[in-house]
Amino acid sequence: MAENTDMNGKPINRAAMMALLMIGSFIIIIMQTSLGTALPTLMTAFNVDTATVQWLTTIFLMVNGIMVPVSAFLTTRIPTKYLYLSALVVYTIGTAVAYVTPTNAFWLLMVARALQAIAAGIVMPLMQVVALTLFDAKSRGKALGMVGLVIGMAPAIGPTLTGWILDSKHDVLGMTVGGDWRSIFGMVLPLAVIVLVLSIVYFRNVLETRKVSLDIRSLIESTVGFGLVLFGSAMVSNYSWTNFTWVLAPMIVGVLVIAEFVRHQLHMEKPFLDVSVFKNKQFALTSALVALTFIAMIGVEMVLPIYMQQVRGLSALNSGLTLLPGALMIGVMSPIAGYFYDLYGAKRLAAFGFAMILLGTIPFQFLTETTPTIYITALYMVRMMGVGITMMPLTSSAMGALHLNQTAQGTAVNNTARQIAASLGTAILASVMQSQINNNLPSDSLKTADPIAYGSKALQASLDGFHASFLLAACFALLAFALSFLMHKGKVEPKPAAGKEN
Protein backbone atom coordinates (compact mmCIF):
# COMPACT_ATOMS: atom_id res chain seq x y z
CA MET A 1 0.00 0.00 0.00
CA ALA A 2 1.44 3.36 -1.01
CA GLU A 3 1.42 6.15 1.52
CA ASN A 4 -1.95 7.99 1.67
CA THR A 5 -3.69 5.40 -0.54
CA ASP A 6 -5.85 2.42 0.30
CA MET A 7 -5.49 -1.16 -0.92
CA ASN A 8 -7.07 -0.18 -4.26
CA GLY A 9 -4.73 2.76 -4.79
CA LYS A 10 -7.41 5.36 -3.99
CA PRO A 11 -6.47 8.36 -1.82
CA ILE A 12 -7.33 8.26 1.87
CA ASN A 13 -7.71 10.91 4.54
CA ARG A 14 -5.43 9.64 7.31
CA ALA A 15 -6.50 12.33 9.75
CA ALA A 16 -10.20 11.57 9.28
CA MET A 17 -9.63 7.82 9.55
CA MET A 18 -7.61 8.11 12.73
CA ALA A 19 -10.09 10.56 14.26
CA LEU A 20 -13.06 8.28 13.53
CA LEU A 21 -11.13 5.23 14.71
CA MET A 22 -10.13 6.91 17.97
CA ILE A 23 -13.56 8.41 18.72
CA GLY A 24 -15.38 5.19 17.86
CA SER A 25 -12.95 3.10 19.87
CA PHE A 26 -13.18 5.50 22.82
CA ILE A 27 -16.97 5.28 23.15
CA ILE A 28 -16.73 1.49 22.84
CA ILE A 29 -13.85 0.88 25.26
CA ILE A 30 -15.19 3.30 27.88
CA MET A 31 -17.98 0.79 28.54
CA GLN A 32 -15.42 -1.58 30.07
CA THR A 33 -15.44 0.38 33.34
CA SER A 34 -18.47 2.68 33.04
CA LEU A 35 -20.87 0.51 35.05
CA GLY A 36 -18.54 0.19 38.06
CA THR A 37 -20.00 3.16 39.93
CA ALA A 38 -23.53 2.40 38.67
CA LEU A 39 -23.82 -1.10 40.16
CA PRO A 40 -25.67 0.02 43.34
CA THR A 41 -28.16 1.94 41.19
CA LEU A 42 -28.67 -1.07 38.91
CA MET A 43 -29.16 -3.37 41.92
CA THR A 44 -32.08 -1.21 43.01
CA ALA A 45 -33.52 -0.77 39.52
CA PHE A 46 -33.45 -4.49 38.64
CA ASN A 47 -33.96 -5.79 42.19
CA VAL A 48 -30.87 -8.05 42.10
CA ASP A 49 -28.13 -8.74 44.63
CA THR A 50 -24.45 -7.83 44.49
CA ALA A 51 -23.28 -11.17 43.10
CA THR A 52 -25.81 -10.94 40.27
CA VAL A 53 -25.22 -7.33 39.26
CA GLN A 54 -21.44 -7.86 39.05
CA TRP A 55 -22.05 -10.12 36.07
CA LEU A 56 -22.58 -6.97 34.00
CA THR A 57 -18.85 -6.34 34.41
CA THR A 58 -17.86 -10.01 34.37
CA ILE A 59 -19.64 -10.77 31.10
CA PHE A 60 -17.96 -7.80 29.43
CA LEU A 61 -14.47 -8.92 30.51
CA MET A 62 -15.11 -12.52 29.52
CA VAL A 63 -16.53 -11.85 26.05
CA ASN A 64 -13.91 -9.19 25.38
CA GLY A 65 -11.12 -11.56 26.38
CA ILE A 66 -12.54 -14.32 24.18
CA MET A 67 -12.92 -12.00 21.17
CA VAL A 68 -9.35 -10.67 21.19
CA PRO A 69 -7.77 -13.89 19.83
CA VAL A 70 -10.50 -14.06 17.17
CA SER A 71 -9.61 -10.52 16.06
CA ALA A 72 -6.44 -11.70 14.31
CA PHE A 73 -8.48 -13.98 12.04
CA LEU A 74 -11.11 -11.28 11.41
CA THR A 75 -8.45 -8.68 10.57
CA THR A 76 -6.82 -11.07 8.11
CA ARG A 77 -10.08 -12.20 6.49
CA ILE A 78 -12.40 -9.16 6.46
CA PRO A 79 -11.56 -5.81 4.75
CA THR A 80 -10.72 -3.06 7.24
CA LYS A 81 -13.69 -0.83 6.50
CA TYR A 82 -16.30 -3.55 6.77
CA LEU A 83 -14.77 -4.97 9.95
CA TYR A 84 -14.82 -1.58 11.67
CA LEU A 85 -18.34 -0.82 10.46
CA SER A 86 -19.48 -4.25 11.70
CA ALA A 87 -18.03 -3.53 15.14
CA LEU A 88 -19.82 -0.17 15.25
CA VAL A 89 -23.12 -1.77 14.20
CA VAL A 90 -22.84 -4.49 16.87
CA TYR A 91 -21.98 -1.87 19.50
CA THR A 92 -24.85 0.40 18.45
CA ILE A 93 -27.32 -2.48 18.64
CA GLY A 94 -26.00 -3.54 22.04
CA THR A 95 -26.18 0.01 23.41
CA ALA A 96 -29.70 0.52 22.06
CA VAL A 97 -30.84 -2.77 23.62
CA ALA A 98 -29.32 -1.73 26.97
CA TYR A 99 -31.08 1.64 26.78
CA VAL A 100 -34.55 0.11 26.29
CA THR A 101 -34.11 -2.95 28.56
CA PRO A 102 -37.09 -3.24 30.95
CA THR A 103 -36.21 -3.58 34.62
CA ASN A 104 -37.74 -7.06 34.79
CA ALA A 105 -35.34 -8.43 32.14
CA PHE A 106 -31.86 -8.37 33.67
CA TRP A 107 -30.78 -11.12 31.27
CA LEU A 108 -31.38 -8.77 28.33
CA LEU A 109 -29.02 -6.18 29.81
CA MET A 110 -26.35 -8.92 30.04
CA VAL A 111 -26.92 -9.73 26.35
CA ALA A 112 -26.45 -6.05 25.54
CA ARG A 113 -23.21 -5.98 27.51
CA ALA A 114 -21.97 -9.04 25.62
CA LEU A 115 -22.66 -7.29 22.29
CA GLN A 116 -20.72 -4.24 23.47
CA ALA A 117 -17.83 -6.50 24.50
CA ILE A 118 -17.76 -8.17 21.07
CA ALA A 119 -17.27 -4.74 19.51
CA ALA A 120 -14.55 -3.86 22.03
CA GLY A 121 -12.72 -7.11 21.34
CA ILE A 122 -12.60 -6.19 17.64
CA VAL A 123 -11.71 -2.49 17.77
CA MET A 124 -8.93 -2.60 20.40
CA PRO A 125 -6.54 -4.69 18.26
CA LEU A 126 -7.84 -3.19 14.99
CA MET A 127 -7.05 0.34 16.15
CA GLN A 128 -3.42 -0.56 16.83
CA VAL A 129 -2.93 -2.44 13.55
CA VAL A 130 -4.46 0.38 11.49
CA ALA A 131 -2.32 2.98 13.29
CA LEU A 132 0.81 0.93 12.55
CA THR A 133 -0.23 0.72 8.89
CA LEU A 134 -1.21 4.36 8.32
CA PHE A 135 2.06 5.76 9.68
CA ASP A 136 5.63 4.91 8.71
CA ALA A 137 8.23 3.58 11.14
CA LYS A 138 9.55 7.07 11.98
CA SER A 139 6.11 8.23 13.15
CA ARG A 140 5.02 4.96 14.75
CA GLY A 141 5.59 6.16 18.30
CA LYS A 142 3.43 9.24 17.76
CA ALA A 143 0.69 7.15 16.16
CA LEU A 144 0.57 4.68 19.03
CA GLY A 145 0.78 7.60 21.44
CA MET A 146 -2.58 8.73 20.03
CA VAL A 147 -3.89 5.20 20.41
CA GLY A 148 -2.77 5.37 24.03
CA LEU A 149 -5.17 8.28 24.55
CA VAL A 150 -8.00 5.85 23.93
CA ILE A 151 -6.77 2.61 25.51
CA GLY A 152 -5.56 4.40 28.64
CA MET A 153 -8.07 7.21 29.12
CA ALA A 154 -11.32 5.46 28.21
CA PRO A 155 -11.25 2.94 31.10
CA ALA A 156 -9.90 5.61 33.46
CA ILE A 157 -12.58 8.19 32.67
CA GLY A 158 -15.47 5.70 32.67
CA PRO A 159 -16.20 5.71 36.44
CA THR A 160 -16.05 9.53 36.64
CA LEU A 161 -18.36 9.99 33.67
CA THR A 162 -20.87 7.53 35.12
CA GLY A 163 -20.79 9.27 38.49
CA TRP A 164 -21.48 12.59 36.76
CA ILE A 165 -24.35 11.10 34.76
CA LEU A 166 -25.99 9.47 37.79
CA ASP A 167 -25.50 12.46 40.09
CA SER A 168 -28.20 14.65 38.53
CA LYS A 169 -29.73 15.82 35.26
CA HIS A 170 -27.52 17.88 32.95
CA ASP A 171 -28.09 20.00 29.86
CA VAL A 172 -25.91 18.77 26.99
CA LEU A 173 -26.32 20.45 23.60
CA GLY A 174 -29.88 21.41 24.48
CA MET A 175 -30.79 17.90 25.65
CA THR A 176 -31.47 16.87 29.23
CA VAL A 177 -29.42 13.82 30.16
CA GLY A 178 -28.46 12.09 33.38
CA GLY A 179 -30.14 11.25 36.62
CA ASP A 180 -30.80 7.59 35.79
CA TRP A 181 -28.89 4.51 34.62
CA ARG A 182 -30.33 4.58 31.09
CA SER A 183 -28.47 7.82 30.41
CA ILE A 184 -25.17 5.92 30.64
CA PHE A 185 -26.13 4.23 27.37
CA GLY A 186 -28.27 7.03 25.97
CA MET A 187 -25.41 9.52 26.02
CA VAL A 188 -23.07 7.44 23.83
CA LEU A 189 -25.74 6.06 21.48
CA PRO A 190 -26.01 9.19 19.24
CA LEU A 191 -22.21 9.40 19.07
CA ALA A 192 -22.02 5.79 17.91
CA VAL A 193 -24.54 6.49 15.14
CA ILE A 194 -22.66 9.61 14.00
CA VAL A 195 -19.31 7.78 13.89
CA LEU A 196 -20.94 4.91 12.00
CA VAL A 197 -22.34 7.23 9.32
CA LEU A 198 -19.09 9.18 8.90
CA SER A 199 -17.05 5.96 8.77
CA ILE A 200 -19.11 4.79 5.80
CA VAL A 201 -17.82 7.87 3.96
CA TYR A 202 -14.23 8.25 5.19
CA PHE A 203 -13.03 4.80 6.24
CA ARG A 204 -10.95 2.79 3.76
CA ASN A 205 -9.46 -0.68 3.44
CA VAL A 206 -5.80 -0.30 4.45
CA LEU A 207 -4.91 -3.81 5.62
CA GLU A 208 -4.08 -6.71 3.35
CA THR A 209 -6.59 -9.54 3.48
CA ARG A 210 -6.47 -13.09 2.25
CA LYS A 211 -8.82 -16.02 2.15
CA VAL A 212 -8.11 -18.10 5.21
CA SER A 213 -10.38 -20.75 6.63
CA LEU A 214 -11.56 -20.58 10.23
CA ASP A 215 -10.13 -23.46 12.24
CA ILE A 216 -13.14 -24.49 14.32
CA ARG A 217 -11.02 -26.50 16.74
CA SER A 218 -8.87 -23.47 17.50
CA LEU A 219 -11.93 -21.26 17.93
CA ILE A 220 -13.50 -23.70 20.40
CA GLU A 221 -10.26 -24.20 22.34
CA SER A 222 -9.54 -20.47 22.61
CA THR A 223 -13.12 -19.67 23.60
CA VAL A 224 -13.31 -22.42 26.23
CA GLY A 225 -9.75 -21.95 27.53
CA PHE A 226 -9.65 -18.18 27.87
CA GLY A 227 -13.32 -18.08 28.88
CA LEU A 228 -12.83 -20.49 31.79
CA VAL A 229 -9.70 -18.69 33.05
CA LEU A 230 -11.48 -15.33 32.97
CA PHE A 231 -14.61 -16.85 34.53
CA GLY A 232 -12.62 -18.35 37.40
CA SER A 233 -10.78 -15.09 38.07
CA ALA A 234 -14.02 -13.12 37.97
CA MET A 235 -15.64 -15.44 40.53
CA VAL A 236 -12.90 -14.72 43.10
CA SER A 237 -14.81 -11.61 44.18
CA ASN A 238 -17.83 -13.78 45.03
CA TYR A 239 -15.95 -16.65 46.64
CA SER A 240 -12.18 -16.95 47.26
CA TRP A 241 -9.05 -18.41 45.71
CA THR A 242 -9.58 -21.61 47.71
CA ASN A 243 -13.04 -22.31 46.27
CA PHE A 244 -12.66 -25.33 44.00
CA THR A 245 -16.02 -25.44 42.23
CA TRP A 246 -16.28 -21.84 41.02
CA VAL A 247 -12.65 -20.64 40.99
CA LEU A 248 -9.96 -23.34 40.94
CA ALA A 249 -11.72 -25.93 38.76
CA PRO A 250 -12.58 -23.51 35.92
CA MET A 251 -9.09 -22.00 35.97
CA ILE A 252 -7.31 -25.39 36.02
CA VAL A 253 -9.41 -26.72 33.15
CA GLY A 254 -8.97 -23.42 31.31
CA VAL A 255 -5.17 -23.55 31.63
CA LEU A 256 -5.13 -27.15 30.37
CA VAL A 257 -7.27 -26.23 27.37
CA ILE A 258 -5.03 -23.22 26.64
CA ALA A 259 -1.98 -25.47 26.81
CA GLU A 260 -3.54 -27.76 24.22
CA PHE A 261 -4.53 -24.70 22.17
CA VAL A 262 -0.91 -23.48 22.17
CA ARG A 263 0.40 -26.91 21.20
CA HIS A 264 -2.09 -27.07 18.33
CA GLN A 265 -1.17 -23.57 17.10
CA LEU A 266 2.54 -24.38 17.03
CA HIS A 267 1.86 -27.35 14.72
CA MET A 268 -0.45 -25.47 12.33
CA GLU A 269 0.85 -24.15 9.02
CA LYS A 270 -1.44 -21.11 9.33
CA PRO A 271 -2.24 -20.73 13.03
CA PHE A 272 -5.44 -19.20 14.35
CA LEU A 273 -3.35 -17.25 16.87
CA ASP A 274 0.37 -17.16 16.11
CA VAL A 275 1.79 -17.86 19.57
CA SER A 276 5.20 -18.47 17.97
CA VAL A 277 5.77 -14.72 18.24
CA PHE A 278 6.63 -15.37 21.89
CA LYS A 279 9.80 -17.10 20.65
CA ASN A 280 10.99 -13.56 19.99
CA LYS A 281 12.45 -12.70 23.40
CA GLN A 282 12.08 -8.95 22.96
CA PHE A 283 8.40 -9.29 22.03
CA ALA A 284 7.79 -11.66 24.95
CA LEU A 285 9.49 -9.30 27.41
CA THR A 286 7.72 -6.15 26.26
CA SER A 287 4.35 -7.96 26.15
CA ALA A 288 4.89 -9.04 29.77
CA LEU A 289 5.69 -5.45 30.71
CA VAL A 290 2.53 -4.21 28.94
CA ALA A 291 0.55 -6.77 30.96
CA LEU A 292 2.14 -5.53 34.20
CA THR A 293 1.29 -1.95 33.20
CA PHE A 294 -2.37 -2.89 32.88
CA ILE A 295 -2.34 -4.74 36.20
CA ALA A 296 -0.92 -1.60 37.82
CA MET A 297 -3.55 0.59 36.17
CA ILE A 298 -6.77 -1.46 36.21
CA GLY A 299 -6.16 -3.11 39.60
CA VAL A 300 -5.71 0.13 41.53
CA GLU A 301 -8.52 1.78 39.54
CA MET A 302 -10.77 -0.88 41.05
CA VAL A 303 -9.48 -0.78 44.65
CA LEU A 304 -9.09 2.98 45.15
CA PRO A 305 -12.74 3.98 44.50
CA ILE A 306 -13.87 1.31 46.98
CA TYR A 307 -11.60 2.86 49.62
CA MET A 308 -12.90 6.36 48.90
CA GLN A 309 -16.56 5.33 49.02
CA GLN A 310 -16.45 2.82 51.89
CA VAL A 311 -13.82 4.39 54.16
CA ARG A 312 -14.00 8.07 53.23
CA GLY A 313 -17.74 8.11 52.52
CA LEU A 314 -17.42 9.93 49.20
CA SER A 315 -20.14 9.70 46.59
CA ALA A 316 -19.60 7.92 43.28
CA LEU A 317 -19.23 11.29 41.55
CA ASN A 318 -16.75 12.72 44.07
CA SER A 319 -14.63 9.57 44.10
CA GLY A 320 -14.58 9.68 40.32
CA LEU A 321 -13.61 13.35 40.31
CA THR A 322 -10.76 12.59 42.70
CA LEU A 323 -9.30 10.23 40.10
CA LEU A 324 -10.11 12.34 37.05
CA PRO A 325 -6.86 14.40 36.99
CA GLY A 326 -4.91 11.16 36.98
CA ALA A 327 -6.96 9.83 34.09
CA LEU A 328 -6.28 13.02 32.15
CA MET A 329 -2.55 12.59 32.72
CA ILE A 330 -2.60 9.53 30.46
CA GLY A 331 -3.94 11.75 27.70
CA VAL A 332 -1.24 14.32 28.33
CA MET A 333 1.65 11.89 28.56
CA SER A 334 0.83 9.38 25.81
CA PRO A 335 1.61 11.69 22.85
CA ILE A 336 4.72 12.99 24.65
CA ALA A 337 5.88 9.44 25.30
CA GLY A 338 5.28 8.61 21.64
CA TYR A 339 7.47 11.54 20.59
CA PHE A 340 10.33 10.50 22.88
CA TYR A 341 9.99 6.87 21.81
CA ASP A 342 10.68 7.91 18.22
CA LEU A 343 13.86 9.60 19.47
CA TYR A 344 15.21 7.27 22.16
CA GLY A 345 13.26 4.00 22.16
CA ALA A 346 11.31 2.37 24.98
CA LYS A 347 13.89 1.23 27.55
CA ARG A 348 14.51 4.56 29.29
CA LEU A 349 10.84 5.52 29.12
CA ALA A 350 9.76 2.17 30.58
CA ALA A 351 12.23 2.36 33.47
CA PHE A 352 11.26 5.96 34.25
CA GLY A 353 7.52 5.22 33.90
CA PHE A 354 7.59 2.18 36.17
CA ALA A 355 9.63 4.13 38.73
CA MET A 356 6.85 6.75 38.78
CA ILE A 357 4.19 4.05 39.16
CA LEU A 358 6.15 2.55 42.05
CA LEU A 359 6.70 5.90 43.78
CA GLY A 360 3.03 6.78 43.32
CA THR A 361 1.83 3.45 44.75
CA ILE A 362 3.98 2.97 47.86
CA PRO A 363 2.37 5.87 49.83
CA PHE A 364 -1.08 4.30 49.33
CA GLN A 365 -0.10 1.73 51.96
CA PHE A 366 -0.31 4.50 54.58
CA LEU A 367 -3.77 5.85 53.73
CA THR A 368 -6.04 6.51 56.71
CA GLU A 369 -9.68 7.47 57.14
CA THR A 370 -8.63 11.14 57.20
CA THR A 371 -6.10 11.27 54.36
CA PRO A 372 -6.82 14.46 52.32
CA THR A 373 -8.36 13.75 48.93
CA ILE A 374 -5.92 16.21 47.30
CA TYR A 375 -3.08 13.97 48.47
CA ILE A 376 -4.77 10.93 46.90
CA THR A 377 -5.32 12.87 43.68
CA ALA A 378 -1.65 13.90 43.54
CA LEU A 379 -0.40 10.34 44.09
CA TYR A 380 -2.81 8.99 41.51
CA MET A 381 -1.61 11.58 39.01
CA VAL A 382 1.97 10.42 39.52
CA ARG A 383 0.93 6.80 38.94
CA MET A 384 -1.03 7.58 35.80
CA MET A 385 1.77 9.74 34.42
CA GLY A 386 3.92 6.64 34.74
CA VAL A 387 1.29 4.55 32.95
CA GLY A 388 1.05 7.13 30.16
CA ILE A 389 4.82 7.22 29.76
CA THR A 390 5.08 3.43 29.69
CA MET A 391 2.13 1.94 27.83
CA MET A 392 2.48 2.92 24.17
CA PRO A 393 6.30 2.89 23.96
CA LEU A 394 6.20 -0.71 25.19
CA THR A 395 3.51 -1.61 22.65
CA SER A 396 5.50 0.08 19.88
CA SER A 397 8.63 -1.78 20.93
CA ALA A 398 6.77 -5.11 20.99
CA MET A 399 5.39 -4.60 17.49
CA GLY A 400 8.75 -3.33 16.23
CA ALA A 401 10.40 -6.57 17.30
CA LEU A 402 8.27 -8.53 14.81
CA HIS A 403 8.17 -8.81 11.04
CA LEU A 404 5.62 -6.56 9.34
CA ASN A 405 3.52 -9.55 8.27
CA GLN A 406 3.19 -10.55 11.93
CA THR A 407 1.66 -7.25 13.05
CA ALA A 408 -1.98 -8.39 13.17
CA GLN A 409 -1.14 -11.65 14.94
CA GLY A 410 1.32 -9.95 17.28
CA THR A 411 -1.27 -7.32 18.20
CA ALA A 412 -3.86 -10.01 18.93
CA VAL A 413 -1.41 -11.97 21.09
CA ASN A 414 -0.33 -8.80 22.91
CA ASN A 415 -3.92 -7.76 23.59
CA THR A 416 -4.91 -11.25 24.72
CA ALA A 417 -2.07 -11.31 27.25
CA ARG A 418 -2.99 -7.82 28.43
CA GLN A 419 -6.70 -8.63 28.83
CA ILE A 420 -6.02 -11.81 30.81
CA ALA A 421 -3.41 -10.05 32.96
CA ALA A 422 -5.80 -7.20 33.75
CA SER A 423 -8.55 -9.64 34.74
CA LEU A 424 -6.26 -11.84 36.84
CA GLY A 425 -4.48 -8.85 38.37
CA THR A 426 -7.76 -7.28 39.41
CA ALA A 427 -8.92 -10.58 40.92
CA ILE A 428 -5.66 -11.00 42.84
CA LEU A 429 -5.72 -7.47 44.28
CA ALA A 430 -9.40 -7.78 45.20
CA SER A 431 -8.96 -11.19 46.85
CA VAL A 432 -5.93 -10.05 48.87
CA MET A 433 -7.90 -7.02 50.02
CA GLN A 434 -10.99 -9.04 51.00
CA SER A 435 -8.97 -11.81 52.65
CA GLN A 436 -7.10 -9.31 54.82
CA ILE A 437 -10.36 -7.60 55.77
CA ASN A 438 -12.02 -10.90 56.70
CA ASN A 439 -9.03 -12.02 58.78
CA ASN A 440 -8.96 -8.79 60.79
CA LEU A 441 -12.68 -8.19 61.32
CA PRO A 442 -13.68 -8.21 65.01
CA SER A 443 -16.09 -10.86 66.29
CA ASP A 444 -19.82 -10.24 65.98
CA SER A 445 -20.15 -10.39 69.78
CA LEU A 446 -18.25 -7.11 70.04
CA LYS A 447 -20.89 -5.43 67.88
CA THR A 448 -23.39 -5.87 70.71
CA ALA A 449 -21.02 -5.45 73.65
CA ASP A 450 -19.22 -2.32 72.38
CA PRO A 451 -20.53 -0.96 69.05
CA ILE A 452 -18.04 1.92 69.01
CA ALA A 453 -15.06 -0.40 69.46
CA TYR A 454 -16.49 -2.74 66.82
CA GLY A 455 -16.83 0.11 64.32
CA SER A 456 -13.28 1.27 64.98
CA LYS A 457 -11.79 -2.19 64.54
CA ALA A 458 -13.91 -2.89 61.44
CA LEU A 459 -12.63 0.34 59.90
CA GLN A 460 -9.05 -0.66 60.69
CA ALA A 461 -9.66 -4.09 59.15
CA SER A 462 -10.81 -2.40 55.94
CA LEU A 463 -7.71 -0.20 55.92
CA ASP A 464 -5.51 -3.26 56.44
CA GLY A 465 -7.12 -4.85 53.40
CA PHE A 466 -6.53 -1.80 51.22
CA HIS A 467 -2.93 -1.49 52.45
CA ALA A 468 -2.20 -5.13 51.58
CA SER A 469 -3.69 -4.68 48.11
CA PHE A 470 -1.65 -1.55 47.44
CA LEU A 471 1.50 -3.29 48.68
CA LEU A 472 0.94 -6.06 46.15
CA ALA A 473 0.38 -3.47 43.41
CA ALA A 474 3.70 -1.88 44.36
CA CYS A 475 5.37 -5.30 44.07
CA PHE A 476 4.03 -5.66 40.52
CA ALA A 477 5.45 -2.22 39.68
CA LEU A 478 8.82 -3.13 41.23
CA LEU A 479 8.97 -6.33 39.17
CA ALA A 480 8.22 -4.39 35.98
CA PHE A 481 10.85 -1.77 36.86
CA ALA A 482 13.49 -4.49 37.25
CA LEU A 483 12.49 -6.26 34.01
CA SER A 484 12.60 -3.02 32.01
CA PHE A 485 16.41 -3.02 32.24
CA LEU A 486 16.49 -6.21 30.14
CA MET A 487 15.06 -4.39 27.11
CA HIS A 488 17.03 -3.36 24.03
CA LYS A 489 18.41 0.16 23.95
CA GLY A 490 17.09 2.55 21.34
CA LYS A 491 14.09 2.30 19.06
CA VAL A 492 13.26 -1.16 17.72
CA GLU A 493 12.62 -0.93 13.98
CA PRO A 494 10.11 -3.34 12.37
CA LYS A 495 11.60 -6.04 10.15
CA PRO A 496 10.60 -6.61 6.52
CA ALA A 497 7.72 -8.99 5.88
CA ALA A 498 10.04 -11.67 4.60
CA GLY A 499 9.60 -14.41 7.17
CA LYS A 500 8.94 -15.11 10.80
CA GLU A 501 11.09 -14.19 13.74
CA ASN A 502 12.04 -17.17 15.81
Side-chain angles (χ1 to χ4, degrees):
M1 184 187 75
E3 188 175 2
N4 293 324
T5 60
D6 63 11
M7 299 307 300
N8 298 317
K10 296 181 180 180
I12 61 175
N13 187 328
R14 288 197 308 176
M17 276 194 64
M18 279 302 297
L20 288 170
L21 188 60
M22 290 175 63
I23 295 171
S25 300
F26 186 92
I27 62 176
I28 291 174
I29 298 173
I30 199 172
M31 279 297 160
Q32 180 175 333
T33 57
S34 286
L35 293 191
T37 50
L39 294 183
T41 301
L42 292 168
M43 288 171 61
T44 302
F46 286 87
N47 192 27
V48 294
D49 58 20
T50 303
T52 302
V53 79
Q54 284 181 347
W55 272 101
L56 294 175
T57 299
T58 301
I59 196 69
F60 192 100
L61 289 173
M62 285 180 58
V63 175
N64 190 15
I66 291 169
M67 279 301 301
V68 170
V70 183
S71 69
F73 166 79
L74 296 175
T75 303
T76 303
R77 185 69 180 84
I78 302 176
T80 319
K81 179 175 181 175
Y82 300 116
L83 182 58
Y84 185 55
L85 291 178
S86 298
L88 288 173
V89 169
V90 171
Y91 177 77
T92 302
I93 293 173
T95 305
V97 169
Y99 183 73
V100 300
T101 295
T103 53
N104 63 347
F106 183 78
W107 64 269
L108 188 58
L109 188 58
M110 287 186 60
V111 171
R113 290 288 286 166
L115 291 173
Q116 290 180 326
I118 289 173
I122 294 173
V123 301
M124 286 178 66
L126 182 66
M127 178 171 53
Q128 293 179 352
V129 177
V130 171
L132 290 169
T133 303
L134 289 178
F135 295 87
D136 58 26
K138 294 182 180 179
S139 303
R140 183 158 293 175
K142 296 177 185 177
L144 287 179
M146 291 189 293
V147 171
L149 289 171
V150 175
I151 294 180
M153 286 188 66
I157 287 178
T160 304
L161 178 62
T162 298
W164 178 78
I165 291 172
L166 293 176
D167 184 57
S168 60
K169 294 184 181 297
H170 309 277
D171 183 76
V172 179
L173 300 177
M175 299 182 298
T176 301
V177 297
D180 68 335
W181 64 269
R182 295 186 190 276
S183 295
I184 300 171
F185 305 101
M187 184 171 289
V188 298
L189 187 56
L191 292 175
V193 174
I194 292 171
V195 173
L196 176 60
V197 172
L198 291 176
S199 296
I200 295 174
V201 179
Y202 289 104
F203 226 77
R204 295 289 185 269
N205 298 320
V206 296
L207 302 177
E208 292 185 7
T209 58
R210 63 182 186 272
K211 291 185 178 180
V212 292
S213 59
L214 178 62
D215 185 64
I216 301 300
R217 174 181 170 181
S218 296
L219 177 61
I220 294 174
E221 287 178 346
S222 67
T223 300
V224 173
F226 292 118
L228 285 175
V229 169
L230 292 171
F231 174 84
S233 64
M235 295 304 290
V236 170
S237 59
N238 298 92
Y239 300 95
S240 70
W241 284 102
T242 58
N243 184 281
F244 182 79
T245 304
W246 295 105
V247 177
L248 293 179
M251 295 188 74
I252 291 171
V253 175
V255 169
L256 292 175
V257 174
I258 291 173
E260 171 56 27
F261 170 76
V262 170
R263 189 200 67 79
H264 181 52
Q265 299 309 298
L266 292 174
H267 288 83
M268 292 179 67
E269 182 179 351
K270 295 180 179 179
F272 177 78
L273 186 66
D274 190 4
V275 294
S276 68
V277 293
F278 280 121
K279 294 179 181 179
N280 184 310
K281 295 180 181 179
Q282 193 64 17
F283 176 84
L285 174 62
T286 48
S287 294
L289 290 173
V290 169
L292 287 170
T293 303
F294 261 71
I295 291 175
M297 182 178 74
I298 299 295
V300 173
E301 276 181 2
M302 179 273 301
V303 174
L304 202 52
I306 297 175
Y307 156 79
M308 289 188 292
Q309 292 183 44
Q310 291 188 352
V311 175
R312 299 300 310 280
L314 298 179
S315 66
L317 174 61
N318 287 333
S319 64
L321 290 174
T322 302
L323 303 183
L324 181 59
L328 297 177
M329 289 312 301
I330 290 185
V332 172
M333 297 309 301
S334 288
I336 296 174
Y339 171 79
F340 281 106
Y341 170 77
D342 288 331
L343 293 178
Y344 305 113
K347 183 174 182 177
R348 295 179 183 177
L349 288 170
F352 181 66
F354 283 121
M356 292 188 69
I357 295 173
L358 180 61
L359 292 175
T361 304
I362 291 175
F364 280 146
Q365 298 169 62
F366 306 102
L367 295 180
T368 68
E369 69 274 19
T370 59
T371 301
T373 55
I374 188 65
Y375 178 70
I376 298 172
T377 299
L379 289 176
Y380 192 69
M381 286 178 67
V382 172
R383 293 189 81 260
M384 299 308 270
M385 284 178 65
V387 171
I389 290 171
T390 303
M391 191 184 311
M392 279 305 109
L394 286 173
T395 303
S396 300
S397 182
M399 294 303 105
L402 301 175
H403 291 294
L404 290 175
N405 61 337
Q406 292 178 298
T407 300
Q409 288 281 355
T411 301
V413 170
N414 187 279
N415 278 282
T416 300
R418 182 173 63 195
Q419 185 70 22
I420 292 175
S423 180
L424 290 176
T426 300
I428 292 171
L429 292 180
S431 64
V432 167
M433 176 185 69
Q434 194 60 52
S435 175
Q436 192 72 12
I437 291 174
N438 293 339
N439 291 338
N440 292 304
L441 274 176
S443 61
D444 289 338
S445 60
L446 184 62
K447 186 184 298 185
T448 304
D450 192 343
I452 296 178
Y454 178 88
S456 177
K457 291 186 177 182
L459 177 61
Q460 186 58 49
S462 296
L463 285 172
D464 290 341
F466 292 119
H467 294 163
S469 184
F470 291 134
L471 176 60
L472 183 58
C475 291
F476 281 126
L478 179 61
L479 174 61
F481 175 73
L483 290 176
S484 67
F485 289 94
L486 300 178
M487 296 177 63
H488 285 315
K489 292 182 179 179
K491 184 177 178 181
V492 180
E493 297 290 350
K495 300 172 180 61
K500 291 186 177 181
E501 180 76 13
N502 292 319

